[in-house]
Amino acid sequence: MSGPSTAIPRAPEYLNNAGLRIEYAEGKGRGVYACREIPAQTLIEVSPVLLFTAKEYEEHGKHTALDHYTFVWRDGRMALALGLGSLFNHSQRPNVSYTIDPATESIRYVTSRKVLPDEELCIFYGHKLWFDPVDAADKPEPCSEHLEYSADDPWGALPSVDDEDEGSSRLDAMFDVFPDGDPDDVVPEEELPFRRLKLTPEEEEEEEMDAVRREDAWIVDLPDPRLAAVMLKWLKQSGFDVPSMAHLKRIRKQDEKMSMVLILTGEHPDPPVFPEDIQLPPPYVAPVPTSAALTMTSLKLKSSLWPTIYAPRKKFEPEPWTRGKVRWACDAMKQVVKKAQYIGKEDELPIAAYVPIPYDEETKTATRMLEPISAHDTRKSASHPLRHSIINLVRAVGELRASPSTSAATPMSPPPQLTPVIDVPAPSLNQVTAALSKPHTHAIPPHPSHSSESQPEEVRNGAHYLLTSLTLFTTHEPCIMCSMALLHSRVKEVFYLIPMAKTGGCGSVTCVPRLEGVNHRYAVNVWKSSEMGDWAEANGLRVDEAYDA
């Protein structure tokens, strides 16, 4: 009989919807590879796990090849991932992250960045390795503990999906986007780890009469053209000159007949009452367009109902993001997650907010924000309904900017926690927003590069108003109260991980910066990992969906 064959076996074909295949690689053995390009945050595999009791594994499992593939499950049992789960190789820079699902006894594998065709898909095994990683620049010492079990913890050296190292590695994998490459390269919109909400979404062009949206308004005929000027003056005095009418022309001329639109019936259900000295026929109801015309065809159709403003809008042109700026955002989001996880273990709600040092030097100099600021939810410990993390953070920035004791040579940094936010017995939203929007009158300390003897420069009103030009990262979608606080604080943009479907004010229940009539609009960005349903649960960030965040 001939000896055992040394030829490398042929890998079996593996078909799934994600487009994966199995191949052999020198020094690694079998691995999982991409057959095509796979976008970031794509679910590529759900592996059921086979669980062994401690006794089974001690008596049998550890003496077999299973010893190289098993890991510690949450309840202390040993787990073997079926499917592709045991074939993902280790990498110091993984392109796949994973979370466990105890309810279904399975593991979900998701790409943490875009994966190119023929690229191997790898996960991070942890820092306690029992082998030399192939791709390590400086390889750690092999962990011999893997083969030396103690009586108290025979599996302690095996990588556990729940230990602190693995938790950190999961975050690293989730937020380690574009670790390589030129930091000035612009990242295509579809490859960004977040999606940007459009604050002025493109409306339908309404180029067919059936597509034209309309609503009822009060109309009055003007028997004498000279009454037009009198009525326009009366409209301003009566309060009928409202923003909802801005897309309509007030006067319509048809042949010899002149009419005026007064106000929408939805805003004023009863017929308007004119002054006694103005003799006009009774007003009547007629349909008018609900918005301005975006195209010439739409203008013609809408003006057949009532003369309408022509206001073509520019298409949504988002600000380009470079690789370096994406890394900056990823690091900020990772920091806010760590903050929330930590305070969650301290019996607070795991909700945190974070303002990093601005990415570009110009904004850093203009805002004088030389250290990051973070805050967390303190409603439980303070027994105060207003101690939301964002309200705490806004207050921290206000105190920081107002502090006269900040020296010129000391970078601005906030106190570790905050003084009371707004101590009123039964606060309303109007009271909160009014308190937060009071004009800021304190001088801002001079930049550290200035002389300590120089006087603080005079700051133009609004130039450094609380969060002006700054970016805020938060774990959970801000509630309506916090969204209004951010609006009054003039924040530049907001990033959040976890939508709050029942209470969110940045895209869920409503989108505050998108509301008509607001005097400031900030950008809203939702991290794509939030679309993974079990992400918050797996990372200790779940809060009741009815909570305001």
Side-chain angles (χ1 to χ4, degrees), residues 197-213:
L197 272 60
K198 297 180 182 179
L199 299 186
T200 54
E202 298 170 27
E203 299 179 18
E204 299 176 7
E205 295 181 349
E206 302 175 290
E207 295 194 336
E208 294 182 2
M209 198 62 189
D210 291 342
V212 174
R213 293 168 294 169

Side-chain angles (χ1 to χ4, degrees), residues 461-497:
N461 184 29
H464 295 290
Y465 185 73
L466 291 177
L467 297 176
T468 298
S469 301
L470 296 176
T471 301
L472 181 139
F473 295 81
T474 178
T475 49
H476 297 70
E477 179 183 0
C479 67
I480 296 175
M481 179 182 72
C482 289
S483 300
M484 285 297 296
L486 291 172
L487 186 146
H488 287 304
S489 303
R490 303 296 189 267
V491 71
K492 176 188 176 184
E493 56 192 348
V494 172
F495 290 79
Y496 65 84
L497 269 172

